[in-house]
Amino acid sequence: MQRLQEKLAACIQRGDKAMGLFMTSGFPDPESTLPVLREMDRGGADFIELGMPFSDPLAEGLPIQRSSERALQAGVRMKDTFRTAAAFCAESNTPLLLMGYANPIHQYGIAAFCRDARNAGIEGFILADVPLEEHLPFAGEAAASGLGLVHLIAPNTPDERIREIDRATTAFVYAVSITGLTGSGLGAIEHVETYLKRARSMVRTHPLLAGFGIRTHEDAVRLSRHTDGFIVGSALIEKVETLWNHESKPPKTHYEEIRRFVRALKNGDKGAEEENP
Amino acid sequence: MEKTHPLPDERGHFGLYGGVFVPETLIPAVEELRKAYEAARKNPAFRQELDTMLTDYAGRPTPLTFCKRLTTTLGGPKIYLKREDLCHTGAHKINNTIGQILLARRMGKTRIIAETGAGQHGVATATVCARFGLHCIVYMGEEDVERQHLNVLRMRLLGADVRPVSSGSRTLKDATNEAIRDWVTNVRDTFYIIGSVVGPHPYPMMVRDFHRVIGDETRRQLREMEGRSAPDAVVACVGGGSNAIGLFYAFLKDPNVQLYGVEAAGEGLNGRHAATLTQGSPGILHGAMSYLLQDEDGQVQLAHSISAGLDYPGVGPEHAWLRDTGRVHYASATDAEAIEGVKLLSKTEGIIPALETAHAIGWLPEGIRGMAHNEVVVVNCSGRGDKDMGTIAKHL
């Protein structure tokens, strides 16, 4: 978890907004996940969330649902996710988190999961269906393995609960930008900004990052005005989905396009040629 | 109202099971619901409103019918049927939708959503929405839309917007995912009427409370008919488990009453089935920890049953707890045994049961073996079979 904390602290110190990127493990196919992660990294990701596919992803909109279904159909299992994660962590210092749902971890065994995650070099995890009310067994094992457990807040989360989540989370607070699913539209942007401003005034201990519904550099700039950074998932998944559905083009071009897309997310059009140090 | 056991605890746990495994966006909604329900259950005016509607609209109390010819045919204990099939809309489901719609109105919610498998809960929800002029959206798996077409027509006639769900298994599990996604998206004005004793706290407790009338009436009726309020055994089919818990709840504290829940064994326990408590393992789905049909990676597996209402890979958390404590015995009946159950009850008593109910009937010949003639068994006749005639016809 230390690498993630240091990375976010460094971004804040430089005055940069941190960019987190989500990719489903096993998507677009089991062999291509790792090279896709590499391009996300080179394109400028400050950290990466690797999605653990689940049969019933009830907080996801269609793009991530489809990616999860495709990965499961291709036979991707938790051990494959760990393998991909370990390979990525062996070659990059960019912090890697796992994101998903409680049941696959419960079934794996929470302690065994945390141990294997730690051994793979993973920094922590985010669970979409584990709120404060149920987090203790997960948080306990995570802490024992030196992993972080990132908590989410939503636009309808009351002030006192936001403060409580700020105390309970590790690494950062994940502000879901809208009451909705991943990949939804942002709706009236003033409402999102009002909420993020409110969240900013409550979250004092940890960095605050906004996610859900961010599709472009402009969205990212706007939403990170009141936060320390932003997270993009569905838009990137859709990009990959579109590329891999054009079978005629060689994969090499796909990877270049992913890198370009990621750079543009971070820097806008003008910064699209910059290389990640 | 008297509680027969102190569970769930304040956080919605039945031992290891239950809880609130939902995205943060739904926490304020389940919290609002929990508080509204706590207030309503203590409010005599709410109780009165509920009782009146159960009587004047749903047709309660439902009869307890002694099955003379079935008893003679099986040659064992005296068999009674609790006639939930005679409720308005043809199944017990309306007890719960009446309770939840009255609560939704008190909470000022204007948009109602529901999931449905066989369509019975969808029909019961569309019915109460029509009664109160509320907008109703029902999520239903595409496969169920095809095999339960009659109920789709009923829901549409009642003014509901039936939305076919094409993701995943295209049955109840994915209809529930889609209803939860709708709730996350429209959380401020939407009330989600869950159709069984599943989902995050307070649903398993609240839905149980709305169905406990089944068992409470049975005790009173049995006292009049048999001179004692507790039978020797109670039997109900279990999918999510709402009709079963509704009947069992009144007898949990009587250690001499044997309780039997009958799950769907589908093609047999070695093949495709929906016997979650018999064959599954603990896991987390749709907001709660309970038993689950899942693979070793924690991916939820497809359930199978001839009955669309039992075709669900999860089960209510209170059943999970009752299984572990041994208070309830969970058994199963196959598709073929359910069909035999339909035939048996139809021919001996002139009652065509729903395919769900038929699992409890189909289990009887085996299940009551060894019981004496003077013993008494109550079976929950949770629904009527009209909706299943298409399926039943293929097996006559």
Side-chain angles (χ1 to χ4, degrees), chain B residues 85-158:
Chain B
D85 58 316
L86 296 178
C87 284
H88 180 40
T89 71
H92 71 291
K93 293 287 183 193
I94 192 103
N95 302 327
N96 170 47
T97 61
I98 288 176
Q100 289 200 48
I101 201 85
L102 293 177
L103 194 59
R105 276 161 53 86
R106 282 179 176 253
M107 293 169 70
K109 303 286 182 183
T110 52
R111 185 175 175 275
I112 305 295
I113 58 169
E115 85 295 338
T116 199
Q120 287 304 101
H121 173 62
V123 167
T125 304
T127 297
V128 295
C129 287
R131 176 77 173 169
F132 288 115
L134 291 172
H135 183 49
C136 176
I137 296 155
V138 180
Y139 291 94
M140 187 170 188
E142 265 180 357
E143 189 177 322
D144 292 333
V145 167
E146 285 159 29
R147 63 179 170 173
Q148 303 285 334
H149 190 60
L150 201 57
N151 273 342
V152 175
L153 297 178
R154 290 168 82 194
M155 287 185 269
R156 291 197 170 132
L157 183 61
L158 291 160

Side-chain angles (χ1 to χ4, degrees), chain B residues 185-252:
Chain B
T185 307
N186 302 289
V187 64
R188 288 185 174 89
D189 65 346
T190 297
F191 191 104
Y192 179 17
I193 300 191
I194 293 186
S196 192
V197 285
V198 300
H201 181 62
Y203 282 102
M205 171 183 79
M206 178 174 75
V207 176
R208 173 197 74 193
D209 291 351
F210 288 141
H211 281 305
R212 67 171 288 176
V213 63
I214 303 170
D216 290 343
E217 281 178 12
T218 301
R219 289 187 77 95
R220 284 199 298 276
Q221 291 164 324
L222 209 56
R223 195 178 306 127
E224 282 170 26
M225 298 169 80
E226 280 288 326
R228 56 174 170 140
S229 53
D232 297 288
V234 167
V235 186
C237 65
V238 177
S242 66
N243 90 82
I245 218 83
L247 180 58
F248 293 169
Y249 195 62
F251 302 104
L252 286 177

Side-chain angles (χ1 to χ4, degrees), chain A residues 6-276:
Chain A
E6 285 169 5
K7 183 80 173 202
L8 293 176
C11 286
I12 292 169
Q13 206 167 16
R14 284 202 308 272
D16 285 348
K17 300 299 181 183
M19 177 172 76
L21 296 177
F22 174 94
M23 183 52 54
T24 304
S25 169
F27 181 76
D29 54 67
E31 293 72 35
S32 304
T33 306
L34 182 60
V36 167
L37 296 182
R38 280 187 193 121
E39 298 308 322
M40 288 157 59
D41 189 17
R42 286 176 192 149
D46 292 302
F47 67 92
I48 288 174
E49 299 171 1
L50 184 59
M52 299 173 280
F54 180 47
S55 54
D56 296 83
L58 47 77
E60 312 299 346
L62 286 171
I64 298 182
Q65 278 182 49
R66 280 197 301 264
S67 71
S68 197
E69 212 163 308
R70 186 156 156 178
L72 290 175
Q73 269 164 12
V76 163
R77 307 194 44 194
M78 193 68 93
K79 61 177 168 48
D80 302 307
T81 300
F82 279 133
R83 199 175 299 135
T84 304
F88 178 81
C89 292
E91 60 184 53
S92 171
N93 278 322
T94 302
L96 189 75
L97 293 161
L98 294 178
M99 184 163 187
Y101 293 80
N103 195 54
I105 295 177
H106 178 263
Q107 180 70 6
Y108 198 93
I110 303 174
F113 173 85
C114 289
R115 182 197 61 218
D116 290 354
R118 181 70 214 163
N119 290 342
I122 290 158
E123 292 287 296
F125 53 102
I126 311 174
L127 298 176
D129 59 349
V130 178
L132 279 183
E133 284 73 2
E134 307 292 348
H135 86 295
L136 283 181
F138 297 91
E141 293 295 346
S145 298
L147 296 174
L149 177 58
V150 174
H151 281 278
L152 300 96
I153 61 170
N156 55 349
T157 309
D159 292 356
E160 191 38 52
R161 191 173 165 94
I162 293 181
R163 291 197 185 92
E164 207 181 324
I165 288 169
D166 184 27
R167 286 191 292 271
T169 197
T170 40
F172 66 94
V173 171
Y174 189 139
V176 175
S177 57
I178 38 137
T179 54
L181 310 171
T182 54
S184 309
L186 284 172
I189 198 88
E190 318 82 66
H191 290 178
V192 184
E193 287 194 272
T194 310
Y195 147 63
L196 291 176
K197 230 187 276 183
R198 176 173 73 93
R200 176 76 283 176
S201 70
M202 307 287 154
V203 176
R204 311 309 303 175
T205 315
H206 291 97
L208 177 70
L209 278 83
F212 283 41
I214 299 172
R215 307 194 63 82
T216 63
H217 176 66
E218 291 66 37
D219 293 341
V221 168
R222 189 117 194 222
L223 265 64
S224 45
R225 205 172 287 166
H226 308 289
T227 64
D228 301 307
F230 61 94
I231 298 160
V232 178
S234 299
L236 181 57
I237 294 274
E238 278 183 343
K239 181 73 191 173
V240 171
E241 191 176 34
T242 311
L243 287 170
W244 259 258
N245 284 347
H246 283 288
E247 305 246 330
S248 55
K249 286 195 204 167
K252 190 169 176 295
T253 347
H254 296 351
Y255 293 120
E256 282 162 12
E257 280 204 45
I258 292 165
R259 197 190 316 184
R260 226 182 340 244
F261 180 81
V262 168
R263 273 198 202 124
L265 270 178
K266 188 166 196 180
N267 304 317
D269 292 336
K270 55 179 192 290
E273 295 311 313
E274 224 173 278
E275 191 81 18
N276 202 27

Side-chain angles (χ1 to χ4, degrees), chain B residues 6-120:
Chain B
L7 296 179
D9 65 19
E10 275 190 7
R11 291 161 56 235
H13 289 111
F14 301 86
L16 291 175
Y17 306 106
V20 273
F21 290 89
V22 295
E24 186 61 31
T25 313
L26 289 181
I27 290 290
V30 293
E31 195 51 23
E32 183 190 4
L33 177 63
R34 192 185 61 76
K35 285 182 184 151
Y37 178 61
E38 270 316 306
R41 76 193 297 197
K42 290 183 204 138
N43 182 343
F46 179 77
R47 191 71 241 170
Q48 180 63 46
E49 200 181 6
L50 178 61
D51 287 345
T52 302
M53 196 164 166
L54 288 175
T55 308
D56 299 350
Y57 188 67
R60 302 208 73 90
T62 59
L64 186 68
T65 303
F66 174 57
C67 298
K68 189 161 183 279
R69 278 178 25 87
L70 179 62
T71 297
T72 309
T73 305
L74 295 181
K78 296 166 80 170
I79 298 168
Y80 285 84
L81 284 186
K82 180 57 176 165
R83 301 293 307 283
E84 294 300 297
D85 58 316
L86 296 178
C87 284
H88 180 40
T89 71
H92 71 291
K93 293 287 183 193
I94 192 103
N95 302 327
N96 170 47
T97 61
I98 288 176
Q100 289 200 48
I101 201 85
L102 293 177
L103 194 59
R105 276 161 53 86
R106 282 179 176 253
M107 293 169 70
K109 303 286 182 183
T110 52
R111 185 175 175 275
I112 305 295
I113 58 169
E115 85 295 338
T116 199
Q120 287 304 101

Side-chain angles (χ1 to χ4, degrees), chain B residues 12-19 282-283 288-291 317-318 320-321 323-324:
Chain B
H13 289 111
F14 301 86
L16 291 175
Y17 306 106
M289 169 96 74
S290 186
Y291 275 76
E318 191 164 4
W321 180 75
R323 173 201 184 278
D324 284 6

